[in-house]
């Protein structure tokens, strides 16, 4: 049986408004993978995904939260923008770019109306932004 987070991820997969946001983020950033992810201290779960680069994730899929930059965002509450991982000393040694094969990254926190952290809206691409 699905737990509550997985159920939310599957339900959100059908939200047309979220899909439109993902498409707009992809168009504005020129990044091929965009997702809304629910993030807790122990889990990273894709809620809705736009995958134009065969990144290989679907709603409900999970990553090890400790290997994600989204976890850093959960801890800090700050957005992260990386035009080129190779030229960014702060992020070039983080495990996520090597593990997941991206060179550019952008992610912003999603905070609910009660002030609690829900997750992130994130985008990645295997090519650096110029």
């Amino acid at each position: 049986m699905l737990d509550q987070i997985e159920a939310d991820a599957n339900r959100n997969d059908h939200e047309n408004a979220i899909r439109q946001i993902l498409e707009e983020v992809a168009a504005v950033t020129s990044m091929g993978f965009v997702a809304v992810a629910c993030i807790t201290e122990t889990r990273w779960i894709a809620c809705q995904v736009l995958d134009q680069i065969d990144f290989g994730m679907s709603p409900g899929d999970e990553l090890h939260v400790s290997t994600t930059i989204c976890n850093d965002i959960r801890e800090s509450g700050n957005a992260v923008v990386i035009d080129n991982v190779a030229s960014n000393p702060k992020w070039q040694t983080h495990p996520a770019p090597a593990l997941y094969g991206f060179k550019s990254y952008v992610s912003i926190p999603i905070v609910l109306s009660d002030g609690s952290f829900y997750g992130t809206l994130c985008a990645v691409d295997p090519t650096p932004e110029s």
Side-chain angles (χ1 to χ4, degrees), residues 3 14 17 20 25 27 36 61 70 77 86 92 97 107 123 127 129:
D3 66 18
H14 303 290
Q20 290 174 340
V25 170
V36 170
D61 287 351
C70 292
Q92 64 188 349
S107 187
T127 58
E129 293 298 307

Side-chain angles (χ1 to χ4, degrees), residues 5-69:
I5 294 173
E6 289 171 321
D8 288 346
N10 289 327
R11 185 184 72 237
N12 288 339
D13 185 43
H14 303 290
E15 297 286 335
N16 190 42
I18 295 172
R19 181 73 177 181
Q20 290 174 340
I21 291 168
L22 298 181
E23 290 171 355
E24 186 65 22
V25 170
V28 168
T29 64
S30 299
M31 293 189 190
F33 177 85
V34 185
V36 170
C38 178
I39 297 142
T40 69
E41 288 183 18
T42 58
R43 299 177 80 182
W44 184 106
I45 300 175
C47 294
Q48 190 161 14
V49 169
L50 174 65
D51 187 356
Q52 301 171 328
I53 57 171
D54 295 322
F55 192 65
M57 295 206 74
S58 300
D61 287 351
E62 294 194 42
L63 298 175
H64 294 285
V65 69
S66 63
T67 65
T68 68
I69 293 174

Side-chain angles (χ1 to χ4, degrees), residues 64-88:
H64 294 285
V65 69
S66 63
T67 65
T68 68
I69 293 174
C70 292
N71 191 48
D72 296 82
I73 294 165
R74 180 190 62 78
E75 292 174 348
S76 72
N78 297 320
V80 172
V81 176
I82 307 169
D83 292 330
N84 185 345
V85 169
S87 63
N88 190 312

